[in-house]
Amino acid sequence: MKTPLQEPTFLILTALAEGPMHGYGLILKVTELSQGRLSIRPGTLYGSLDRLADDGLVTVDRNEIVDGRARKYYRLTKEGFSLLRAETERMRRAVEAATSRLNGRAAAQPLTAPLGPNLAGGVA
Amino acid sequence: MKTPLQEPTFLILTALAEGPMHGYGLILKVTELSQGRLSIRPGTLYGSLDRLADDGLVTVDRNEIVDGRARKYYRLTKEGFSLLRAETERMRRAVEAATSRLNGRAAAQPLTAPLGPNLAGGVA
DNA sequence: ACCTAATACCTTCGTTGCGAAGATATCTTC
DNA sequence: GAAGATATCTTCGCAACGAAGGTATTAGGT
């Protein structure tokens, strides 16, 4: 698998970490996880699932028929969990690095700290 | 600019949040920020800088000659800072979502909590 | 009965960001 | 004088993503 993971792939793994889920459910879940900012498309989802399956990070859990509609459930493999853990750590470090640089150096510093001209404005 | 940002672009903005920096310095800085796991290549850097400049997120700060070698310094614009803030927040939420799912639901839960079979093994 | 929306699957195709590789030039070190 | 570090930039291929559309069933509204 090619790390660093991109956002859609990361969120798919995150959603699956909660438990097995079917494709359409993943589309809804990822939209919810990103608070509506990122709505994943079928082309993205199934392409991503194919790649993840090829790399042994997800597998098909089971097939169900609910109200006459087919549902294919996917779940994370051990490797999938491992990768998600590693990627989460990597992202956490990146977020920390950015945060400390945006908040005048010290990471835990309150927002009332003196800010430079470029840091002053919030949303430009 | 097309969000979500990918890792290399995010780290370039993060490095520039510290202050103006020239291309070669960015290559070294990003490698340092990612603790050696991601070493950014010139093709990635200059392609990325071009796109960021087109989108008004970075600008050329100044040109210097140091020991006969040209140095071109880039810096973040206001929009660059804004975008980095927004992207950092987005990533923080994604990290939190993944963390809570990896650590048996409650985010602040100790690691001694009961784990399912797939969650048991650390690094597979 | 008919149409629309929601649920559920999947494919094709274009764009684009990234990575590998290499070209160019100067200064330093051996 | 060769090699390596510093410093710039370009070309090219690939793979992930996003948009769009195709198929099928069920539920709800009129």
Side-chain angles (χ1 to χ4, degrees), chain B residues 34-88:
Chain B
S34 70
Q35 286 155 25
R37 262 167 293 99
L38 182 80
S39 95
I40 202 172
R41 296 310 183 103
T44 303
L45 177 71
Y46 292 107
S48 193
L49 283 175
D50 283 348
R51 278 172 254 129
L52 290 169
D54 281 347
D55 294 327
L57 302 173
V58 309
T59 52
V60 174
D61 189 63
R62 63 187 188 275
N63 287 289
E64 274 186 5
I65 306 284
V66 177
D67 293 328
R69 289 187 223 94
R71 278 188 181 173
K72 187 189 275 187
Y73 280 81
Y74 300 87
R75 69 173 162 80
L76 280 191
T77 63
K78 249 182 193 153
E79 289 78 16
F81 273 100
S82 289
L83 186 79
L84 181 57
R85 274 181 205 287
E87 285 295 294
T88 302

XYZ file of all heavy atoms in Angstrom, chain B residues 34-88:
436
model
N 8.726 14.988 8.721
C 8.140 13.654 8.628
C 9.068 12.616 9.242
O 8.850 11.425 9.108
C 7.863 13.306 7.175
O 9.080 13.095 6.489
N 10.074 13.085 9.909
C 11.048 12.215 10.576
C 11.666 11.189 9.623
O 11.834 10.024 9.954
C 10.400 11.533 11.787
C 10.219 12.500 12.951
C 9.094 12.078 13.871
O 8.766 10.912 13.943
N 8.513 13.027 14.568
N 11.975 11.690 8.425
C 12.699 10.868 7.468
C 11.846 9.898 6.678
O 12.327 9.279 5.738
N 10.566 9.772 7.054
C 9.727 8.800 6.361
C 9.332 9.268 4.967
O 9.114 8.475 4.067
C 8.472 8.484 7.179
C 8.605 7.189 7.988
C 7.512 7.082 9.014
N 7.657 8.106 10.038
C 6.975 9.248 10.067
N 6.083 9.506 9.152
N 7.180 10.129 11.017
N 9.248 10.572 4.814
C 8.855 11.115 3.514
C 9.919 12.079 3.032
O 10.060 13.172 3.577
C 7.507 11.840 3.660
C 6.913 12.425 2.386
C 6.234 11.334 1.586
C 5.909 13.511 2.728
N 10.677 11.694 2.004
C 11.625 12.657 1.481
C 11.102 13.180 0.156
O 10.943 12.468 -0.820
C 13.010 12.039 1.362
O 13.246 11.544 0.101
N 10.801 14.447 0.162
C 10.143 15.079 -0.965
C 11.141 15.290 -2.108
O 12.290 15.662 -1.888
C 9.511 16.408 -0.488
C 8.405 16.834 -1.419
C 10.554 17.489 -0.368
C 7.641 18.022 -0.866
N 10.706 15.035 -3.318
C 11.573 15.163 -4.485
C 11.355 16.500 -5.177
O 10.272 17.072 -5.078
C 11.297 14.023 -5.462
C 11.635 12.664 -4.896
C 13.010 12.688 -4.313
N 13.435 11.404 -3.807
C 14.279 10.597 -4.428
N 14.790 10.954 -5.596
N 14.637 9.461 -3.883
N 12.386 16.930 -5.909
C 12.270 18.227 -6.596
C 11.021 18.312 -7.471
O 10.341 19.341 -7.482
C 13.535 18.284 -7.446
C 14.527 17.471 -6.692
C 13.737 16.355 -6.049
N 10.732 17.239 -8.175
C 9.551 17.237 -9.030
C 8.284 17.501 -8.253
O 7.368 18.189 -8.723
N 8.216 16.937 -7.061
C 7.053 17.151 -6.206
C 7.041 18.578 -5.680
O 6.026 19.275 -5.739
C 7.092 16.175 -5.013
O 7.154 14.842 -5.514
C 5.854 16.330 -4.148
N 8.202 19.019 -5.190
C 8.287 20.344 -4.576
C 7.921 21.465 -5.533
O 7.050 22.289 -5.248
C 9.700 20.596 -4.051
C 9.879 21.990 -3.470
C 9.148 22.134 -2.153
C 11.347 22.341 -3.311
N 8.582 21.503 -6.674
C 8.393 22.659 -7.558
C 7.047 22.611 -8.256
O 6.431 23.645 -8.511
C 9.564 22.765 -8.529
C 10.845 23.121 -7.808
C 11.847 22.190 -7.606
C 11.010 24.398 -7.272
C 13.006 22.506 -6.915
C 12.157 24.724 -6.569
C 13.161 23.771 -6.404
O 14.295 24.094 -5.707
N 6.583 21.398 -8.532
C 5.233 21.268 -9.054
C 4.235 21.796 -8.052
O 3.319 22.550 -8.394
N 4.430 21.406 -6.808
C 3.526 21.822 -5.748
C 3.588 23.333 -5.529
O 2.547 23.994 -5.428
C 3.898 21.090 -4.457
O 2.882 21.224 -3.502
N 4.803 23.878 -5.485
C 4.959 25.321 -5.288
C 4.288 26.108 -6.415
O 3.656 27.141 -6.174
C 6.440 25.691 -5.201
C 7.138 25.390 -3.873
C 8.626 25.697 -3.958
C 6.511 26.167 -2.722
N 4.423 25.605 -7.643
C 3.780 26.276 -8.775
C 2.273 26.334 -8.591
O 1.646 27.378 -8.789
C 4.099 25.531 -10.077
C 5.515 25.825 -10.556
O 6.146 26.758 -10.010
O 5.983 25.119 -11.465
N 1.695 25.195 -8.207
C 0.243 25.141 -8.006
C -0.181 26.062 -6.861
O -1.162 26.802 -6.959
C -0.193 23.707 -7.694
C -0.369 22.845 -8.910
C -0.603 21.394 -8.525
N 0.568 20.577 -8.792
C 1.133 19.757 -7.933
N 0.656 19.662 -6.697
N 2.194 19.054 -8.272
N 0.586 26.007 -5.773
C 0.265 26.842 -4.612
C 0.349 28.325 -4.973
O -0.455 29.136 -4.510
C 1.215 26.515 -3.458
C 1.020 25.147 -2.809
C 2.175 24.825 -1.865
C -0.302 25.094 -2.064
N 1.329 28.676 -5.806
C 1.473 30.070 -6.223
C 0.311 30.475 -7.129
O -0.241 31.570 -6.997
C 2.807 30.264 -6.936
N -0.066 29.566 -8.034
C -1.219 29.839 -8.909
C -2.472 30.109 -8.084
O -3.324 30.909 -8.473
C -1.484 28.645 -9.834
C -0.521 28.616 -11.009
O 0.161 29.639 -11.232
O -0.452 27.585 -11.696
N -2.586 29.432 -6.973
C -3.783 29.564 -6.140
C -3.637 30.671 -5.100
O -4.501 30.836 -4.242
C -4.087 28.234 -5.442
C -4.480 27.154 -6.437
O -5.106 27.502 -7.461
O -4.164 25.970 -6.208
N -2.528 31.379 -5.153
C -2.350 32.512 -4.252
C -2.077 32.135 -2.810
O -2.299 32.936 -1.904
N -1.605 30.931 -2.584
C -1.355 30.491 -1.207
C 0.086 30.745 -0.773
O 0.355 30.911 0.411
C -1.685 28.994 -1.069
C -3.134 28.663 -1.432
C -3.347 27.154 -1.430
C -4.097 29.327 -0.467
N 0.996 30.760 -1.733
C 2.374 31.149 -1.450
C 2.826 32.167 -2.494
O 2.270 32.219 -3.602
C 3.355 29.941 -1.460
C 2.859 28.811 -0.569
C 3.604 29.457 -2.855
N 3.806 32.983 -2.131
C 4.408 33.907 -3.089
C 5.913 33.880 -2.891
O 6.409 33.409 -1.867
C 3.933 35.356 -2.885
O 4.127 35.702 -1.507
C 2.489 35.525 -3.247
N 6.620 34.389 -3.897
C 8.060 34.506 -3.750
C 8.336 35.684 -2.829
O 7.846 36.791 -3.057
C 8.736 34.723 -5.115
C 10.222 34.993 -4.924
C 8.524 33.503 -6.005
N 9.082 35.423 -1.772
C 9.376 36.457 -0.780
C 10.511 37.337 -1.260
O 10.406 38.553 -1.296
C 9.737 35.779 0.543
C 9.844 36.786 1.683
O 8.817 37.407 1.988
O 10.945 36.933 2.248
N 11.609 36.718 -1.663
C 12.761 37.475 -2.149
C 13.758 36.516 -2.797
O 13.695 35.305 -2.606
C 13.444 38.194 -0.987
C 14.029 37.251 0.057
C 14.546 38.002 1.284
N 15.269 37.103 2.190
C 14.707 36.350 3.111
N 13.404 36.326 3.234
N 15.447 35.581 3.895
N 14.666 37.102 -3.563
C 15.761 36.319 -4.130
C 17.059 36.765 -3.475
O 17.291 37.953 -3.294
C 15.828 36.520 -5.637
C 14.704 35.823 -6.361
O 14.676 34.601 -6.457
N 13.749 36.590 -6.855
N 17.877 35.812 -3.148
C 19.150 36.133 -2.513
C 20.268 35.391 -3.233
O 20.049 34.356 -3.850
C 19.154 35.669 -1.048
C 18.558 36.668 -0.079
C 18.734 36.217 1.358
O 19.406 35.187 1.594
O 18.199 36.896 2.246
N 21.455 35.951 -3.124
C 22.632 35.218 -3.579
C 23.492 34.967 -2.350
O 23.961 35.906 -1.701
C 23.453 36.034 -4.603
C 22.569 36.486 -5.768
C 24.629 35.210 -5.103
C 22.234 35.440 -6.765
N 23.668 33.713 -1.989
C 24.472 33.345 -0.836
C 25.636 32.485 -1.308
O 25.421 31.404 -1.867
C 23.636 32.564 0.205
C 24.504 32.123 1.369
C 22.476 33.423 0.696
N 26.848 33.009 -1.140
C 28.037 32.282 -1.600
C 27.942 31.960 -3.079
O 28.296 30.857 -3.507
C 28.232 30.983 -0.807
C 28.587 31.272 0.651
O 29.237 32.294 0.907
O 28.208 30.471 1.518
N 27.428 32.886 -3.868
C 27.352 32.683 -5.304
C 26.205 31.792 -5.753
O 25.942 31.667 -6.941
N 25.481 31.169 -4.795
C 24.337 30.314 -5.164
C 23.037 31.085 -4.983
O 22.828 31.763 -3.982
C 24.284 29.071 -4.285
C 25.381 28.082 -4.579
C 25.154 26.819 -3.789
N 26.398 26.350 -3.215
C 26.804 26.648 -1.985
N 26.051 27.392 -1.201
N 27.943 26.188 -1.541
N 22.195 30.961 -5.979
C 20.912 31.659 -5.919
C 19.992 30.966 -4.925
O 19.946 29.740 -4.838
C 20.265 31.680 -7.297
N 19.284 31.779 -4.174
C 18.259 31.245 -3.273
C 16.971 31.990 -3.513
O 16.918 33.217 -3.455
C 18.656 31.440 -1.815
C 19.587 30.402 -1.283
C 19.744 30.611 0.206
N 20.656 29.642 0.783
C 21.062 29.698 2.053
N 20.644 30.675 2.832
N 21.872 28.789 2.531
N 15.904 31.247 -3.775
C 14.594 31.861 -3.967
C 13.724 31.525 -2.753
O 13.411 30.363 -2.510
C 13.955 31.332 -5.254
C 12.663 32.044 -5.635
C 11.961 31.355 -6.789
C 12.508 31.818 -8.143
N 11.704 31.279 -9.273
N 13.367 32.552 -2.010
C 12.571 32.339 -0.796
C 11.080 32.438 -1.080
O 10.638 33.374 -1.740
C 12.950 33.362 0.281
C 14.218 33.002 1.014
C 15.458 33.274 0.457
C 14.174 32.384 2.260
C 16.627 32.941 1.117
C 15.337 32.042 2.934
C 16.562 32.327 2.359
O 17.706 31.987 3.015
N 10.341 31.477 -0.554
C 8.888 31.499 -0.658
C 8.305 31.779 0.716
O 8.908 31.470 1.729
C 8.376 30.132 -1.151
C 8.901 29.732 -2.496
C 10.117 29.062 -2.621
C 8.177 30.003 -3.663
C 10.610 28.686 -3.869
C 8.649 29.622 -4.902
C 9.876 28.971 -4.999
O 10.356 28.593 -6.228
N 7.117 32.375 0.714
C 6.421 32.546 1.999
C 4.919 32.354 1.821
O 4.384 32.505 0.714
C 6.708 33.919 2.595
C 6.098 35.065 1.852
C 6.286 36.395 2.588
N 6.081 37.492 1.670
C 4.884 37.950 1.293
N 3.803 37.372 1.764
N 4.787 38.947 0.442
N 4.252 32.074 2.941
C 2.808 31.895 2.920
C 2.108 33.242 2.801
O 2.551 34.230 3.369
C 2.334 31.245 4.231
C 2.477 29.737 4.389
C 1.709 29.268 5.634
C 1.943 29.019 3.171
N 1.018 33.260 2.049
C 0.161 34.429 2.029
C -0.881 34.274 3.141
O -0.945 33.239 3.803
C -0.589 34.541 0.693
O -1.436 33.400 0.554
C 0.384 34.604 -0.465
N -1.686 35.300 3.310
C -2.786 35.205 4.273
C -3.675 34.011 3.955
O -4.069 33.252 4.837
C -3.630 36.483 4.213
C -3.516 37.348 5.455
C -4.420 38.577 5.327
C -4.076 39.581 6.405
N -4.382 40.967 6.024
N -3.986 33.876 2.670
C -4.831 32.763 2.249
C -4.165 31.431 2.568
O -4.829 30.460 2.921
C -5.122 32.843 0.746
C -6.059 33.966 0.344
C -5.355 35.319 0.317
O -4.102 35.349 0.313
O -6.060 36.345 0.304
N -2.835 31.400 2.424
C -2.095 30.183 2.749
C -2.241 29.816 4.212
O -2.460 28.647 4.547
N -2.130 30.823 5.060
C -2.311 30.570 6.490
C -3.724 30.086 6.791
O -3.925 29.134 7.555
C -2.012 31.843 7.298
C -0.563 32.013 7.647
C 0.251 32.865 6.920
C -0.003 31.300 8.704
C 1.598 33.017 7.232
C 1.340 31.449 9.027
C 2.147 32.306 8.287
N -4.693 30.752 6.161
C -6.091 30.358 6.392
C -6.333 28.915 5.986
O -6.953 28.150 6.713
C -7.028 31.261 5.595
O -7.046 32.549 6.150
N -5.829 28.580 4.796
C -6.044 27.221 4.321
C -5.361 26.206 5.233
O -5.932 25.166 5.566
C -5.513 27.057 2.898
C -5.861 25.681 2.311
C -7.301 25.655 1.834
C -4.932 25.293 1.190
N -4.163 26.527 5.671
C -3.442 25.604 6.548
C -4.198 25.405 7.852
O -4.300 24.286 8.367
C -2.027 26.115 6.815
C -1.160 25.209 7.699
C -1.036 23.806 7.124
C 0.225 25.825 7.897
N -4.747 26.490 8.386
C -5.573 26.372 9.597
C -6.749 25.448 9.369
O -7.029 24.551 10.165
C -6.132 27.745 9.980
C -5.242 28.576 10.823
C -5.925 29.904 11.162
N -4.940 30.922 11.449
C -4.232 30.937 12.579
N -4.434 30.021 13.494
N -3.323 31.865 12.768
N -7.460 25.681 8.274
C -8.650 24.886 7.979
C -8.300 23.423 7.774
O -8.973 22.522 8.283
C -9.361 25.445 6.739
N -7.229 23.185 7.032
C -6.827 21.809 6.747
C -6.346 21.095 8.008
O -6.567 19.903 8.187
C -5.720 21.799 5.692
C -6.211 22.095 4.302
C -7.138 21.000 3.799
O -6.674 19.873 3.603
O -8.339 21.278 3.620
N -5.689 21.842 8.876
C -5.226 21.257 10.124
C -6.419 20.828 10.976
O -6.423 19.731 11.545
C -4.360 22.268 10.904
O -3.261 22.654 10.092
C -3.832 21.652 12.192
